[in-house]
Amino acid sequence: MARANGICHSRRKLGAMCISMIFFIIAIDYRKRKMIESEDEKRKQHVKSDFLEDVDYALETMKYMYDMQRGKAEIRDVVEKMLTVSFRTLRHKVYCNIFDERRYAVVEGYVREIWQRGWDPRDHFYIPNLITCPIPRRFDSSTKLFVSISSKPCSAQRVALRVRVSKSEGEKEAVAVCVKGMDFQEDVSIRLVEWLEAQYLLGVSTVTTYVYTVPKRVKKVLDHYGELGKLEQIPLTLPGHSPNLPLVRSQYIARNRQQKRRHELIPYNDCLYRHISTHRYILILDIDELVVPMEHNNYFDLLKAIEQDTSADRTTSLSFPNVFKFPAKLVNQSVPEHLYMLRNSHRSRKTSDRRNYGKSMTSTANVATVFNHFALHRLTPNVTGTIYVPETLGVKLHYKGTCPIESRSECDELQTDTVPDHSIDRFADELERRVNRTLSELRFL
């Protein structure tokens, strides 16, 4: 009898434990659902948040501040330009809170969306904007000036950025090259050295690169040229709820092409404003592209020839025609294997339509914003549109691994109908010498 009672007692105890476990599981599941619902609600609130929250996040994550410019404001002589990212189109007024140690002023900012609706009218994306803040004259003598952005005047902000005044000393350099966010898993270090040395050989004084994630050897190359004062690295992340774990981010960038194109406009325009007081032109390139002068030895002489027909103070963009150089079946066997560009001695016979794939040298004096192919917004109406440079003066060599999807209807022709290319032959010896020297210094050879 005692044994039976013991068994019953054990069963009751087991039943109670099972019931408790069921309630515990239900409680966990309920808590989990509530947390998910709460997080979803936060995301919805963030999407519906006002302009202030969008700009705050953009300022915290992107942290871009641009040099002051004189003589280019529509309202006053001095303006501060800032790049921000907002989720969807901004539909609120923007106020610039400007202050130093002794004074405070609030002015209405002017927002220019860095995008063309004709490319894609949808706005369910993170969108880059240029905010212009006219600065009152009483701040002219200020040496420590700050600006914050708000949706209401005189509204205190968590983030206030210092205005950096960069004054040009002497004559501007000719061309600075800008490279969008570098996001590589593979080691392209040796090809990167050849590409960089080609830029410097042709007259580029500095290269500004924006970096997500690159392998160690690629980082070593960037650091090497940075130490020489020839290259600047700018760390880059994605804004908002976009992923920033390296592998996840790489997949996200590859799969979200329309968002990728919008994100790229931030480094492009950052590069424009970084060089606005130091260089006459910026040239936005990928590391598989090279603009080659056909009749001149460097960009300085090339620009001098082009500007004989068009005054430099009216130029916006000088676009160079594109020719593809796919992996060649026949290579120049006399050139060492590590010199990829020099070994690839054939190009597509067909030159791309001037509206497709061309890259431009864009004037830093006459444009407000840039796209990767040309100037986007002009500062005044009294300047030229894009000038298309004839192939006899310069060409952009595009060392593509595969035919781009946009050209799928003519890929067969582009890849099979090729001709010998001698455009960089006259630079070959000096380029090889420079590349070998750098690879030896890096101990890559």
Side-chain angles (χ1 to χ4, degrees):
M1 189 69 177
R3 183 179 179 184
N5 288 336
I7 293 174
C8 291
H9 180 72
S10 298
R11 288 177 177 174
R12 285 196 298 271
K13 187 175 181 180
L14 180 61
M17 290 177 63
C18 290
I19 293 172
S20 299
M21 185 63 69
I22 290 171
F23 277 113
F24 183 66
I25 293 173
I26 292 174
I28 291 176
D29 184 65
Y30 176 78
R31 174 65 174 168
K32 181 179 178 182
R33 283 189 288 107
K34 283 296 182 182
M35 290 177 67
I36 293 174
E37 290 173 2
S38 175
E39 186 64 26
D40 288 342
E41 185 62 29
K42 287 180 181 178
R43 288 178 179 270
K44 290 178 182 178
Q45 290 175 359
H46 181 83
V47 170
K48 296 177 181 178
S49 65
D50 63 14
F51 170 72
L52 169 60
E53 292 176 342
D54 290 333
V55 171
D56 279 348
Y57 191 90
L59 293 174
E60 289 172 353
T61 55
M62 303 306 291
K63 293 197 182 295
Y64 286 123
M65 174 64 76
Y66 297 94
D67 299 339
M68 295 175 68
Q69 304 169 66
R70 292 185 176 273
K72 297 177 183 176
E74 297 178 0
I75 307 300
R76 293 181 174 85
D77 289 340
V78 183
V79 299
E80 172 62 28
K81 293 182 182 291
M82 305 172 64
L83 288 176
T84 65
V85 176
S86 64
F87 185 72
R88 310 191 74 169
T89 298
L90 302 181
R91 306 188 188 280
H92 301 266
K93 282 190 175 182
V94 180
Y95 293 94
C96 306
N97 303 276
I98 305 164
F99 58 94
D100 60 12
E101 298 94 332
R102 297 179 292 110
R103 292 160 293 195
Y104 190 100
V106 178
V107 297
E108 185 175 341
Y110 300 89
V111 179
R112 171 172 275 166
E113 191 172 283
I114 311 176
W115 187 251
Q116 292 286 2
R117 290 292 175 181
W119 300 336
D120 183 357
R122 298 172 298 169
D123 79 336
H124 202 78
F125 295 95
Y126 288 103
I127 298 173
N129 303 279
L130 178 70
I131 299 178
T132 301
C133 300
I135 298 179
R137 292 185 184 278
R138 63 179 180 273
F139 288 98
D140 281 357
S141 61
S142 179
T143 59
K144 198 172 183 180
L145 192 63
F146 295 86
V147 177
S148 68
I149 301 296
S150 63
S151 60
K152 297 179 181 179
C154 304
S155 178
Q157 297 300 297
R158 297 192 302 271
V159 176
L161 300 181
R162 185 172 180 176
V163 177
R164 296 182 300 175
V165 182
S166 180
K167 296 181 179 180
S168 178
E169 297 181 0
E171 188 175 352
K172 290 184 180 182
E173 300 277 358
V175 180
V177 163
C178 308
V179 182
K180 66 185 180 185
M182 300 178 72
D183 184 46
F184 303 129
Q185 305 302 322
E186 69 275 19
D187 179 11
V188 295
S189 56
I190 293 180
R191 285 188 59 177
L192 180 59
V193 169
E194 184 185 17
W195 181 83
L196 284 168
E197 290 295 349
Q199 304 302 324
Y200 302 132
L201 177 58
L202 293 173
V204 171
S205 61
T206 186
V207 175
T208 299
T209 61
Y210 295 81
V211 182
Y212 287 116
T213 303
V214 294
K216 289 183 179 179
R217 279 167 57 102
V218 173
K219 186 66 167 61
K220 186 176 181 180
V221 171
L222 298 177
D223 291 342
H224 172 78
Y225 287 102
E227 292 170 0
L228 296 176
K230 294 183 175 182
L231 183 145
E232 183 178 12
Q233 299 178 63
I234 312 297
L236 197 60
T237 58
L238 296 179
H241 292 292
S242 305
N244 275 299
L245 290 174
L247 291 177
V248 179
R249 180 174 57 203
S250 295
Q251 294 176 354
Y252 175 85
I253 292 173
R255 293 175 180 175
N256 292 272
R257 194 168 188 176
Q258 287 299 325
Q259 182 63 82
K260 171 179 175 287
R261 288 178 173 175
R262 289 166 171 83
H263 282 327
E264 288 172 351
L265 292 171
I266 287 290
Y268 294 155
N269 285 275
D270 177 78
C271 196
L272 167 67
Y273 283 95
R274 284 179 184 272
H275 297 292
I276 207 163
S277 61
T278 58
H279 290 77
R280 295 169 55 214
Y281 293 90
I282 62 165
L283 174 59
I284 298 172
L285 293 176
D286 296 333
I287 64 169
D288 60 358
E289 298 174 320
L290 180 67
V291 172
V292 181
M294 302 301 287
E295 297 181 358
H296 303 87
N297 293 326
N298 53 60
Y299 292 154
F300 180 86
D301 293 338
L302 171 63
L303 289 170
K304 187 176 180 180
I306 295 173
E307 290 169 351
Q308 287 179 350
D309 298 325
T310 303
S311 176
D313 60 6
R314 296 189 63 245
T315 301
T316 54
S317 295
L318 304 172
S319 179
F320 293 86
N322 173 82
V323 294
F324 287 110
K325 298 195 71 168
F326 298 109
K329 296 179 180 178
L330 298 174
V331 298
N332 187 344
Q333 297 291 344
S334 65
V335 177
E337 290 186 6
H338 62 270
L339 297 170
Y340 179 83
M341 291 193 299
L342 292 179
R343 277 175 67 87
N344 191 340
S345 57
H346 281 69
R347 50 158 281 190
S348 297
R349 182 188 302 274
K350 183 177 182 179
T351 301
S352 301
D353 184 283
R354 69 179 191 174
R355 295 165 296 182
N356 299 327
Y357 303 110
K359 285 296 181 72
S360 298
M361 292 183 182
T362 300
S363 169
T364 59
N366 298 324
V367 303
T369 64
V370 294
F371 185 54
N372 61 332
H373 294 288
F374 45 76
L376 195 54
H377 296 109
R378 309 171 196 173
L379 282 172
T380 70
N382 301 320
V383 293
T384 67
T386 299
I387 296 174
Y388 295 96
V389 178
E391 190 174 347
T392 54
L393 282 180
V395 66
K396 188 201 78 175
L397 304 179
H398 201 168
Y399 293 83
K400 289 288 288 184
T402 58
C403 187
I405 190 172
E406 294 86 354
S407 298
R408 55 185 174 272
S409 62
E410 54 182 358
C411 279
D412 185 62
E413 176 188 1
L414 292 173
Q415 291 178 306
T416 59
D417 186 11
T418 62
V419 294
D421 174 38
H422 302 291
S423 58
I424 60 174
D425 287 0
R426 59 199 170 99
F427 303 106
D429 291 342
E430 178 61 16
L431 180 57
E432 181 177 350
R433 186 188 69 80
R434 293 188 180 199
V435 171
N436 288 341
R437 178 194 62 197
T438 300
L439 292 179
S440 296
E441 291 173 355
L442 293 170
R443 298 183 179 180
F444 285 177
L445 281 183

